Amino acid sequence: MAEMNHFLLTAGHDLDALHLPMKLDVAHGKESYTILRGEVQTPKAGDMLIADAEGIISNIIYGPDQRTQITPQTRNVVFTVYAPSGIDKPAIEKHLHELRENVLIISPDASVELLRVFSPG
């Protein structure tokens, strides 16, 4: 069977730039946020998004925002993974563990405080 990781969309954010809590939501088509390249974008109605108390930080179609992007000054990071229906929890956990291993290659002293899969509802 082919690897399923290529169906998982992953976004990274500077945790210290976030205004918690974060929430998973569905776009109404009237929200907007500034995407990485600096353009204001309105997610399509019905598309999945993640927001903090200040607004959208990531959207499936248009990707992560500019406000919480990871920079050379970033010291604390949160990674989010969008998994479509049909991808099972073990596949998502495997992806998260592989992501952690990749981070450790770049930053060997990094530590993980939470590695968890949240389901809708």
Side-chain angles (χ1 to χ4, degrees):
M1 183 171 187
E3 277 289 318
M4 297 298 283
N5 286 355
H6 64 280
F7 294 114
L8 299 174
L9 299 173
T10 305
H13 303 277
D14 184 327
L15 180 61
D16 298 323
L18 289 169
H19 296 273
L20 301 175
M22 293 170 39
K23 68 176 180 174
L24 180 64
D25 207 350
V26 176
H28 299 286
K30 296 178 182 172
E31 312 88 342
S32 64
Y33 72 113
T34 303
I35 58 176
L36 278 178
R37 65 177 175 260
E39 298 173 6
V40 175
Q41 188 65 58
T42 300
K44 296 183 184 301
D47 194 15
M48 193 181 309
L49 61 85
I50 298 174
D52 69 0
E54 289 226 351
I56 298 170
I57 64 166
S58 181
N59 167 257
I60 287 182
I61 294 175
Y62 300 110
D65 71 327
Q66 189 176 63
R67 175 175 57 89
T68 66
Q69 69 181 297
I70 297 170
T71 69
Q73 292 74 39
T74 299
R75 295 296 169 254
N76 298 294
V77 176
V78 61
F79 290 101
T80 59
V81 178
Y82 293 99
S85 179
I87 307 274
D88 62 9
K89 186 175 179 178
I92 300 165
E93 290 171 336
K94 179 178 184 266
H95 175 72
L96 291 171
H97 286 284
E98 290 170 348
L99 181 59
R100 182 187 67 204
E101 294 305 313
N102 288 332
V103 167
L104 290 172
I105 291 169
I106 297 166
S107 184
D109 294 330
S111 63
V112 175
E113 290 190 24
L114 177 67
L115 193 151
R116 182 173 170 196
V117 176
F118 294 89
S119 299

